[in-house]
Amino acid sequence: MPAAHLAGCGGGAAAAAEQVGELLGLLSGRLPPADLTAEELRQRSWWSGPDAYVVVDDYDLVAAGMENPLAPLVEYLAQARDVGLHVLLARRTGAPPGRCSSRS
């Protein structure tokens, strides 16, 4: 990926929280005004710029901490398409030992 397309990388909770904070500033300016027509809403004509992609690996580890640094994004998920937000989460798929039982 070209460096110009990468706004940042959060390798720990503090860095992720900082990146999410910056993204919230961008997204808050993209919220649609109340007087938009349905056509304007479809065209996303009230803002311009690139879409934002948040890629999270090992989400189960990120969300397990005392404070989830991604939690502030929740309020934007319902309008993600309208504000150009895309969230990709990856997590472990195997159940922890003792959590899965087989049925006969």
Side-chain angles (χ1 to χ4, degrees), residues 32-46 81-82:
D35 61 348
L36 280 183
T37 66
E39 183 61 27
E40 289 171 323
L41 193 58
R42 273 192 297 276
Q43 293 177 356
R44 297 188 330 193
S45 61
W46 68 94
R81 182 183 179 281
D82 299 333

Side-chain angles (χ1 to χ4, degrees), residues 3 9 17 21 23-26 30 32 37 40 49 51 58 61 65 77 86-87 91 95 104:
C9 181
L23 180 58
L24 293 176
L26 174 76
R30 293 181 174 188
T37 66
E40 289 171 323
D51 281 10
D58 292 330
L61 298 177
L77 293 180
H86 307 270
V87 180
R91 61 181 289 287
S104 304

Side-chain angles (χ1 to χ4, degrees), residues 18-89:
E18 182 179 333
Q19 292 296 317
V20 167
E22 290 177 19
L23 180 58
L24 293 176
L26 174 76
L27 296 176
S28 67
R30 293 181 174 188
L31 289 173
D35 61 348
L36 280 183
T37 66
E39 183 61 27
E40 289 171 323
L41 193 58
R42 273 192 297 276
Q43 293 177 356
R44 297 188 330 193
S45 61
W46 68 94
W47 66 270
S48 63
D51 281 10
Y53 289 83
V54 177
V55 180
V56 181
D57 192 14
D58 292 330
Y59 178 71
D60 50 323
L61 298 177
V62 172
M66 293 296 282
E67 290 187 31
N68 182 342
L70 302 173
L73 292 176
V74 169
E75 69 179 278
Y76 292 93
L77 293 180
Q79 294 178 299
R81 182 183 179 281
D82 299 333
V83 298
L85 174 63
H86 307 270
V87 180
L88 306 163
L89 297 177

